[in-house]
Amino acid sequence: MKKLVMIGNGMAGVRTIEEILKLEPEQFEITIFGEEPYPNYNRIKLSNILQGDVHFDDIIINPLEWYKDNNIQLYTGEAVVKIDTKAKKVFSDQGREVNYDELIIATGSKAIILPIPGANKQGVTGFRDIKDCELMIKLANQYKKAAVIGGGLLGLEAARGLLNLGMKVDVVHLMPHLMERQLDHVAASMLKAELEAQGMNFLMEKETVEILGDERVTGLRFKDGSQIEADLVVMALGIRSNTEVAKNSGIYVNRGIVVNDYMETNVPHVYAVGECAEHREIVYGLVAPLYEQAKVLANHICGKETKPYKGSVTGTQLKVAGVDLFSAGEIHEDSTTKSIMVHNEYEGIYKKVLIRNNRIVGIVLYGDTKDSTRLFRMLTKQEDISGMTSVSILQSECSGAGNTGDDVASMPDDELICGCNGVTKGVIVEAIKTKGLTTLDQVSQCTNAGRSCGRCKPLVANILSHTLGNQFNEKGASKTSICGCTTLSREEIIEEIKTKGLTSVKEVMNVLEWNNEEGCTKCRPAINYYLGMIYMDHGMDDRDSRLVNEKMHANIQKDGTYSVVPRMYGGVTTAKDLKKIAEVAEKYHVPLVKLTGGQRIGLFGVKKEDLPSIWKDLDMPSGYAYGKTLRTVKTCVGSQFCRYGTQDSMALGIELEKKFERLDTPHKVKMGVSACPRNCSEAGIKDIGFVGIDGGWEIYVGGNGGVDLRPADLLCTVKTKEEVMEITGAYLQYYRETANYLERTSKWLERVGLKHVQEVLADKEMRIALNERLDKTLKKYVDPWNEAIQSKEIQDKYYMKHTIKVGE
């Protein structure tokens, strides 16, 4: 068996290995060296990690098990520093020597760091790998002012992520327009205006000459003498090929490692692929051409007849801070081109197609990219458009009102569906038919369509549906959709929201083609919850999509009146608060004042129009007795007064309630804290219960004291209050992210399994990440009662006197 060694564990290199395994799984003994301490991951989605949309686990393409299953020896966190091309050996920085018969160099690229004074200061980073993301997230928790040098795609993605992390962001760009390689001045100006509205500040035509500060960065100085303050500097100016090991080993290097049409270097049995390779004087930084290279190299190295790689015409499908963009070919007019343009400033849409000799040579789309695939095909195939009108060029027949532009029935088989991976409609259809594929995941695994940026997944799903016809519908019928308005499941809706950047309930229903365009009382609250869960710190709540009690922030009773239950943290109150409640009850003639089962006082029979006035007079926070959130934390008197108490249950209950109040959850959550195993607060039948023991706390989960009585399960035992808060936060966030809407913790725990949850929470890094996302979410909440008191618009819309039907 021949020995194949690959230097680099990135996307292009591992794709080459995947292709080799498809062709000749037994031909090579494979060894891979990866400089980063991770398995192969999707570098395209680093910005999603920074923006808090995904966790690192979500962007792994090939987990460690994949290497093991394919008998691949993987050395992570280990770089090759020397190649002896005569002896055919590689040497790592850990002193390891490995022989090879064939060697692939797939070392990728590195972030460009400006060679200016101060570039090595603390707080200066590139934006290229997981480590860079972790540093930015860490510094965002300590500092508030960031400067991003570079107004290209990477820079803008970094800036959006830092905004999400709560930082003030200045984007410094040398050129007069953003993304000048992909956008013309009109599209760039529209993008700049949109990003400014999101909170970014731009310093255009500024050349950075020095990074200020002593040991760590404090600011930037520009060539014109002006300065800005900065606690974090991100250099996102682009990338350069990582060629050091090749250059030091006598392999010919120009801008990249120079290769021929079969990805061969000037040294026999040594190849290069990906961002480190230079082919016909071009180094490609997009995924699609790198995967084309991978396929050619895999065939060649396996001895299969293959067409040579002749270079790529690239089209760039992007989403920058929620804005859809597409660019391909030439972007600027000249004396030989004519342009077709549409500039709809009101709807934020701009389209430009450049034409030379009756053929498309350039495309720029902003805001509406649904025709990008068709236009790109016309560009790459150099189709004669002399018989077409400007309208038919810009917009296909199937992309009018009520359609998505993805009419798969009319698409030719050579239509490019997945630009990242070069997958056409014909390849997908053939795979579905010949291999019996029935799910989107199966299609992605088989054809690679949708495995990179993921933006083509809805179109792949449409092709799957069209190809299978009734068979697809029958199989889809067994899938659990969230309601009758759609056939989509919870997971599919969440994926679509993330993939398409959908930000409102109306947009979700419109883009995902709801059967009932207005939705229903089941799906609208669910979508609203999913949006709030995904966009942790900036999601816009659609109050009218909430259930009636949450919309009114009070429980509606059977006679149309409401209840008011103010917050009493841990069931603890004061004489002052008791007096206020009594005075309000008298003033507004409240017919019933009752102690609730959650150790609070409820005012029942309140008129809707009196709610804001009562809230104002009470001057107490909402107890959320109506909400899908933390209702109460019931406590016993604890060690302060009880002779059996081992822990301070009231103090912990108050801290828990203050920390997690207002948090949106799939269903209501109740907690109980008992200072000893006598369990006076009924902690054993709560969603989360805490029982004090000598030297610590037992944490119980999944209990339910309602109709479906269920005793709680012991999750873990901890020693400190800090551990209690960390475990509880992580548990709640994991429940938020994985439960179905309106699924109680008891049902959820039975579905996912206690052991699984314990394994998740045993991972310290996972707990930290879950708590970080939870903390982001908590920052966006305000007390709804106080908000209503301050807003006449809210009072007029929701609390003016008119009839509301029970169950509305």
Side-chain angles (χ1 to χ4, degrees):
M1 186 179 287
K2 295 170 69 176
K3 294 184 177 181
L4 172 62
V5 173
M6 186 167 75
I7 307 172
N9 190 37
M11 296 175 70
V14 175
R15 174 54 61 86
T16 306
I17 300 298
E18 288 180 338
E19 296 289 345
I20 289 171
L21 292 172
K22 288 179 184 178
L23 295 167
E24 295 287 347
E26 305 298 330
Q27 185 172 344
F28 296 102
E29 179 185 318
I30 302 173
T31 301
I32 299 177
F33 287 89
E35 188 171 0
E36 294 186 75
Y38 313 107
N40 174 233
Y41 66 87
N42 190 342
R43 202 176 296 274
I44 296 172
K45 294 191 175 182
L46 284 175
S47 59
N48 298 97
I49 286 183
L50 186 61
Q51 293 169 21
D53 297 330
V54 299
H55 183 264
F56 170 64
D57 291 342
D58 300 322
I59 70 169
I60 292 176
I61 300 174
N62 298 94
L64 293 173
E65 292 77 14
W66 176 83
Y67 297 85
K68 184 178 180 181
D69 292 344
N70 288 285
N71 298 313
I72 297 171
Q73 177 62 65
L74 173 65
Y75 297 113
T76 58
E78 189 168 343
V80 170
V81 294
K82 180 183 176 184
I83 305 167
D84 186 335
T85 56
K86 292 182 178 178
K88 298 177 80 172
K89 285 185 177 182
V90 299
F91 302 84
S92 80
D93 58 3
Q94 304 294 317
R96 196 183 310 275
E97 296 181 22
V98 178
N99 296 317
Y100 69 83
D101 295 303
E102 308 288 347
L103 176 67
I104 299 173
I105 304 174
T107 45
S109 61
K110 292 185 176 180
I112 294 175
I113 302 296
L114 290 174
I116 58 176
N120 60 346
K121 294 186 188 299
Q122 296 176 22
V124 179
T125 181
F127 182 31
R128 189 61 192 152
D129 55 29
I130 290 289
K131 185 173 64 175
D132 295 332
C133 288
E134 290 175 339
L135 177 62
M136 284 187 264
I137 292 169
K138 178 182 177 181
L139 293 179
N141 290 327
Q142 304 174 45
Y143 303 100
K144 291 303 174 188
K145 293 183 179 180
V148 177
I149 303 176
L153 173 63
L154 276 179
L156 298 179
E157 291 284 17
R160 179 63 262 176
L162 293 170
L163 281 177
N164 287 6
L165 293 170
M167 300 195 81
K168 178 183 176 183
V169 182
D170 290 317
V171 177
V172 180
H173 196 46
L174 184 62
M175 306 302 289
H177 304 297
L178 299 175
M179 296 183 65
E180 66 280 353
R181 294 182 181 179
Q182 291 89 17
L183 304 178
D184 64 9
H185 72 281
V186 177
S189 297
M190 293 175 72
L191 178 62
K192 180 172 178 285
E194 169 61 28
L195 298 182
E196 284 174 333
Q198 293 183 19
M200 292 185 203
N201 181 54
F202 291 96
L203 302 171
M204 308 299 290
E205 298 183 82
K206 290 282 190 179
E207 182 178 352
T208 307
V209 295
E210 184 181 0
I211 296 176
L212 307 175
D214 295 325
E215 291 186 1
R216 78 171 328 278
V217 60
T218 59
L220 299 178
R221 185 168 64 82
F222 304 115
K223 190 174 183 178
D224 61 10
S226 60
Q227 298 181 5
I228 61 169
E229 295 180 355
D231 306 308
L232 167 65
V233 173
V234 179
M235 294 200 188
L237 300 102
I239 57 175
R240 66 168 182 268
S241 296
N242 185 5
T243 61
E244 283 83 354
V245 68
K247 190 174 184 179
N248 295 337
S249 303
I251 298 167
Y252 181 49
V253 171
N254 187 32
R255 286 177 57 222
I257 303 169
V258 177
V259 297
N260 63 15
D261 290 354
Y262 295 97
M263 312 314 295
E264 297 170 310
T265 70
N266 65 309
V267 176
H269 304 288
V270 179
Y271 313 85
V273 67
E275 291 173 335
C276 67
E278 178 181 333
H279 175 265
R280 298 189 183 185
E281 300 184 346
I282 298 176
V283 175
Y284 294 93
L286 297 174
V287 175
L290 306 187
Y291 284 176
E292 290 180 45
Q293 295 176 2
K295 195 160 191 175
V296 171
L297 174 55
N299 277 282
H300 181 67
I301 211 167
C302 289
K304 306 291 184 183
E305 186 175 342
T306 184
K307 293 180 180 179
Y309 175 68
K310 295 183 178 181
S312 302
V313 178
T314 58
T316 310
Q317 180 83 45
L318 307 168
K319 181 179 284 289
V320 180
V323 179
D324 287 312
L325 308 170
F326 180 83
S327 174
E330 302 174 29
I331 60 174
H332 298 295
E333 300 92 333
D334 62 27
S335 59
T336 68
T337 61
K338 294 182 179 180
S339 61
I340 304 173
M341 285 188 288
V342 170
H343 186 185
N344 184 340
E345 193 172 4
Y346 177 74
E347 294 184 3
I349 293 172
Y350 173 70
K351 302 180 180 183
K352 181 174 77 173
V353 175
L354 293 179
I355 298 169
R356 181 184 295 117
N357 299 326
N358 290 322
R359 283 168 174 78
I360 294 175
V361 295
I363 307 163
V364 178
L365 305 176
Y366 178 99
D368 178 3
T369 62
K370 60 178 175 286
D371 287 299
S372 59
T373 302
R374 179 181 56 83
L375 290 169
F376 186 59
R377 184 195 72 234
M378 295 166 71
L379 183 153
T380 54
K381 292 189 172 297
Q382 289 293 282
E383 294 181 10
D384 188 337
I385 61 168
S386 55
M388 300 177 66
T389 66
S390 58
V391 172
S392 63
I393 291 170
L394 282 179
Q395 181 172 295
S396 67
E397 294 180 3
C398 62
S399 49
N403 292 288
T404 65
D406 298 335
D407 187 355
V408 298
S410 63
M411 285 181 182
D413 282 347
D414 61 357
E415 184 95 349
L416 187 64
I417 303 301
C418 178
C420 293
N421 298 294
V423 185
T424 63
K425 174 194 171 184
V427 169
I428 295 171
V429 171
E430 182 181 5
I432 293 168
K433 289 181 176 178
T434 60
K435 299 187 178 181
L437 310 180
T438 59
T439 70
L440 182 59
D441 284 343
Q442 289 173 344
V443 174
S444 294
Q445 289 298 320
C446 182
T447 67
N448 290 315
R451 287 188 67 198
S452 297
C453 77
R455 294 191 184 99
C456 65
K457 281 187 175 181
L459 183 52
V460 176
N462 287 347
I463 294 172
L464 179 67
S465 173
H466 174 73
T467 305
L468 293 178
N470 290 335
Q471 184 184 7
F472 177 83
N473 293 333
E474 289 169 8
K475 291 184 178 293
S478 62
K479 177 179 61 183
T480 303
S481 62
I482 66 168
C483 72
C485 300
T486 179
T487 60
L488 297 175
S489 67
R490 169 197 180 275
E491 289 73 20
E492 289 171 327
I493 293 168
I494 290 174
E495 178 63 24
E496 293 278 12
I497 290 171
K498 292 178 179 178
T499 301
K500 295 185 175 180
L502 308 178
T503 57
S504 71
V505 174
K506 193 72 175 176
E507 187 178 25
V508 170
M509 295 190 299
N510 182 40
V511 173
L512 303 186
E513 300 182 325
W514 245 234
N515 300 327
N516 173 11
E517 61 183 30
E518 294 300 322
C520 67
T521 56
K522 189 174 181 181
C523 63
R524 287 182 66 95
I527 297 169
N528 191 53
Y529 171 76
Y530 298 147
L531 289 166
M533 183 263 293
I534 292 167
Y535 302 112
M536 291 166 282
D537 54 350
H538 63 282
M540 296 298 292
D541 178 50
D542 183 354
R543 183 167 178 167
D544 289 330
S545 290
R546 287 185 173 270
L547 298 170
V548 61
N549 289 340
E550 293 181 299
K551 180 167 67 176
M552 301 303 294
H553 291 290
N555 261 330
I556 192 169
Q557 308 300 307
K558 68 178 184 179
D559 61 355
T561 61
Y562 290 82
S563 64
V564 172
V565 184
R567 182 72 75 183
M568 289 183 178
Y569 296 104
V572 177
T573 188
T574 64
K576 182 180 178 181
D577 282 344
L578 290 172
K579 186 176 181 181
K580 284 193 293 187
I581 291 171
E583 290 173 346
V584 163
E586 283 188 344
K587 179 177 178 180
Y588 294 94
H589 307 288
V590 175
L592 176 66
V593 180
K594 185 184 185 303
L595 296 176
T596 72
Q599 297 181 331
R600 299 189 293 193
I601 296 176
L603 306 176
F604 293 83
V606 175
K607 298 175 183 177
K608 180 188 65 177
E609 59 269 25
D610 287 340
L611 287 172
S613 299
I614 287 179
W615 295 340
K616 183 177 181 180
D617 289 349
L618 282 173
D619 191 25
M620 297 172 70
S622 169
Y624 278 83
Y626 48 81
K628 303 297 180 284
T629 180
L630 175 62
R631 294 284 182 91
T632 62
V633 181
K634 191 171 184 178
T635 67
C636 65
V637 296
S639 59
Q640 288 188 38
F641 296 96
C642 179
R643 55 199 176 106
Y644 300 107
T646 61
Q647 301 289 345
D648 189 346
S649 56
M650 287 190 293
L652 178 59
I654 290 170
E655 186 169 344
L656 286 163
E657 199 161 357
K658 287 189 173 181
K659 167 76 174 181
F660 301 114
E661 65 177 337
R662 305 174 190 166
L663 178 70
D664 279 334
T665 47
H667 211 298
K668 61 186 176 185
V669 171
K670 297 181 179 180
M671 298 184 186
V673 185
S674 293
C676 74
R678 290 172 180 261
N679 217 341
C680 294
S681 64
E682 303 161 350
I685 53 170
K686 301 296 186 188
D687 293 276
I688 311 179
F690 310 86
V691 178
I693 57 174
D694 287 330
W697 296 92
E698 290 177 338
I699 302 178
Y700 291 84
V701 294
N704 192 331
V707 175
D708 296 321
L709 184 64
R710 183 184 191 276
D713 297 315
L714 178 62
L715 177 68
C716 61
T717 302
V718 299
K719 294 181 179 180
T720 66
K721 184 173 65 175
E722 289 73 21
E723 290 175 288
V724 168
M725 299 303 292
E726 179 183 324
I727 293 291
T728 304
Y731 180 85
L732 279 172
Q733 184 63 15
Y734 193 62
Y735 165 58
R736 293 183 74 243
E737 293 179 353
T738 58
N740 297 316
Y741 187 67
L742 299 184
E743 185 178 35
R744 288 294 300 267
T745 61
S746 55
K747 298 294 185 183
W748 168 75
L749 191 64
E750 288 177 348
R751 178 169 61 83
V752 301
L754 175 66
K755 185 177 180 182
H756 168 73
V757 175
Q758 288 172 326
E759 289 172 351
V760 169
L761 300 188
D763 185 333
K764 177 69 174 178
E765 292 183 1
M766 177 66 80
R767 293 201 306 274
I768 292 172
L770 287 166
N771 273 291
E772 286 175 349
R773 296 198 289 274
L774 181 83
D775 290 339
K776 277 188 182 182
T777 302
L778 287 169
K779 287 179 182 178
K780 72 180 178 183
Y781 294 123
V782 296
D783 182 74
W785 288 0
N786 188 57
E787 184 182 41
I789 293 167
Q790 302 296 328
S791 173
K792 189 175 186 302
E793 181 182 351
I794 291 176
Q795 293 176 32
D796 289 344
K797 182 175 182 180
Y798 295 104
Y799 302 107
M800 291 290 287
K801 187 174 183 178
H802 61 77
T803 303
I804 291 185
K805 297 177 182 177
V806 177
E808 179 180 329

